[in-house]
Amino acid sequence: EIVLTQSPATLSLSPGERATLSCRASQSVSSYLAWYQQKPGQAPRLLVYDASNRATGIPARFSGSGSETDFTLTISSLEPEDFAVYYCQQRSSWPLTFGGGTKVEIK
Amino acid sequence: EVQLLESGGDLVQPGESLRLSCAGSGFTFSTHVMSWVRQAPGKGLEWISTIGSDGYTHYADSVKGRCTISRDNSKNTLYMQMNSLRAEDTAVYYCARGFRWFASWGQGTLVTVSS
C-alpha cells in the first residue's frame, strides 16, 4: 500500500498570503496524484488531478506540481473561502489511498 | 448536472448488516466506474471500494470479505452491502463517480455502529 504523508498538519495563514502544501508518497506514483478541498459538513471537492491539471471550475490561484514521490499544492493568494482541509490521493496502484490532510486555518 | 444521492445510513449494533444505496443522475450511469469513500468522525478520507462498468471490483483490506459493492444500471443505482459491522465502520459514506480521481461526490450518509 502506498502511504501518502501530508505536511504540515496545520497551516496558519492570513488572507492574501501564499499557501504551500506538501504530499509525499512512500513510493513513486508517477504523476497520478490528485488534490481535494473539504469544508466542514461538505463532501470533498476535486481541485487538481494528475499532479498539475486543474479540475473544471477551479480558480487559477490553485496549482499543483511534482512527480514521483513529492508533490505540492500551491494557493497563490488565499481567499476567505479557501480556509479548509486539503487531501491528496494517489491512483497509481490499488488500494487507492489518501493523505491524512492539511488544515489551512486563519491566522 | 451530475447528482449522486446516498441513502441507507443508520444506527446499528455491532455484528449487524446494512445496505447503502447511491442514486445517480445527470450522466450515463452504466458507463462510469463508481466508488465508495468513507470518513470516520473527525478523521480523513478512506477509499473502500470500486466497481467498474463491466462489474470488476476492488476492495480495501479494511472491508474485504465483509462488504460487497454492486450496481443496478437499470436503476442507475450503486450499492454497498455491509455485513458484520464493527465500531470502526462508523463513518460518513460517500459515493463518488470514477476511480482515477473523484470529480463528483454525493452528500454522504452516516453509518453509526454502536451498542
Side-chain angles (χ1 to χ4, degrees), chain A residues 32-56:
Chain A
Y32 301 142
L33 192 104
W35 290 93
Y36 300 84
Q37 176 194 69
Q38 188 179 33
K39 297 178 182 179
Q42 296 185 15
R45 178 174 72 144
L46 177 68
L47 299 175
V48 170
Y49 63 92
D50 287 354
S52 60
N53 298 287
R54 264 191 309 275
T56 302

Side-chain angles (χ1 to χ4, degrees), chain A residues 2-105:
Chain A
I2 296 175
V3 176
L4 298 178
T5 302
Q6 292 188 240
S7 61
T10 304
L11 199 51
S12 298
L13 296 169
S14 301
E17 288 194 295
R18 182 184 189 89
T20 303
L21 287 67
S22 174
C23 177
R24 178 161 290 177
S26 60
Q27 62 191 77
S28 175
V29 299
S30 185
S31 62
Y32 301 142
L33 192 104
W35 290 93
Y36 300 84
Q37 176 194 69
Q38 188 179 33
K39 297 178 182 179
Q42 296 185 15
R45 178 174 72 144
L46 177 68
L47 299 175
V48 170
Y49 63 92
D50 287 354
S52 60
N53 298 287
R54 264 191 309 275
T56 302
I58 301 304
R61 64 180 181 273
F62 292 92
S63 63
S65 63
S67 64
E68 307 295 338
T69 60
D70 289 291
F71 299 86
T72 300
L73 176 71
T74 301
I75 310 172
S76 60
S77 178
L78 282 164
E79 296 288 339
E81 61 267 28
D82 298 337
F83 292 92
V85 180
Y86 293 81
Y87 295 96
C88 56
Q89 173 241 323
Q90 65 82 21
R91 68 162 178 104
S92 175
S93 65
W94 302 99
L96 307 181
T97 50
F98 289 88
T102 290
K103 182 180 181 180
V104 178
E105 65 175 24

